[in-house]
Amino acid sequence: YADCDVEEPNAHLFLKPEITDTETVYIFIPRVDESRCISCGECEKICRFSSIIMMGEKIVTYPEMCHGCRGCELVCPEKAITPDRRELGRIITGKSGNGNIDLLYGNIRVGEAMSPPLIKKLKEKFDREEKTVILDSPPGASCPMVATVRDADYVVLVTEPTPFGINDLEIAYEAI
């Protein structure tokens, strides 16, 4: 069982697992060696999220906006960009139900805006030999839900009986 609602995980409250492992997860952010930078602007051109920009002849990074694609590192002709990292959150692993249920859940770092990379790392932890893996998705129909259900064999959509819930259900249904 994997609780992929990394912003508000709650499966552990019900399953009360014995925690067996906790892993901190990081994402790439660029580190710029200004002594090597020739101010060509290639890094700025490739960044869709404006996390690295040129201000005159100076390069400025905004690590909290970086999505970790590493494009800036790849296009830098002078290799002035090297990997650094930013903490995304933690993945907690445990056993519940007399050891019969493996529980994994993510817990995003307070203030972190990007949950899909943490969800992706959480899903990489699954034992691919297992016959059944249940994923508990974040609510709604945005990127975290899509990151959770991507590559799923079956999806069960559940909603609350409110106009907002029905609207999100329709959007999620279309996305699936």
Side-chain angles (χ1 to χ4, degrees):
Y1 188 94
D3 189 342
C4 295
D5 185 0
V6 298
E7 293 178 11
E8 291 292 333
N10 62 7
H12 65 285
L13 300 175
F14 302 104
L15 295 175
K16 300 181 184 350
E18 179 181 323
I19 303 302
T20 56
D21 189 41
T22 300
E23 174 189 350
T24 303
V25 176
Y26 300 91
I27 190 170
F28 164 89
I29 58 171
R31 177 184 300 163
V32 180
D33 180 348
E34 292 185 29
S35 69
R36 297 178 79 171
C37 180
I38 59 171
S39 303
C40 68
E42 291 300 313
C43 55
E44 179 182 40
K45 287 180 198 170
I46 200 168
C47 186
R48 294 179 37 207
F49 303 101
S50 300
S51 68
I52 188 164
I53 62 170
M54 297 298 301
M55 290 189 144
E57 296 292 311
K58 183 165 176 56
I59 192 166
V60 178
T61 62
Y62 296 95
E64 62 280 351
M65 294 172 64
C66 181
H67 284 228
C69 76
R70 300 181 86 132
C72 56
E73 180 186 24
L74 292 172
V75 300
C76 181
E78 300 300 315
K79 306 293 183 219
I81 299 175
T82 56
D84 203 350
R85 65 186 191 173
R86 177 181 83 235
E87 182 181 331
L88 282 176
R90 298 177 303 140
I91 294 175
I92 298 98
T93 306
K95 292 239 180 231
S96 187
N98 295 327
N100 295 325
I101 300 171
D102 292 321
L103 173 66
L104 293 99
Y105 64 98
N107 200 343
I108 201 159
R109 178 182 58 85
V110 173
E112 179 58 56
M114 289 193 311
S115 60
L118 184 57
I119 293 168
K120 181 180 176 186
K121 291 285 189 185
L122 177 63
K123 289 174 63 177
E124 288 173 3
K125 294 282 188 189
F126 300 158
D127 179 354
R128 297 293 180 198
E129 299 301 313
E130 289 290 326
K131 290 184 178 17
T132 303
V133 176
I134 298 173
L135 305 176
D136 183 359
S137 172
S142 61
C143 295
M145 183 279 288
V146 172
T148 300
V149 301
R150 173 173 277 135
D151 302 321
D153 293 325
Y154 301 96
V155 176
V156 176
L157 298 172
V158 179
T159 192
E160 58 192 34
T162 65
F164 182 74
I166 299 301
N167 180 66
D168 270 2
L169 177 65
E170 290 171 355
I171 294 169
Y173 176 77
E174 289 178 25
I176 300 301

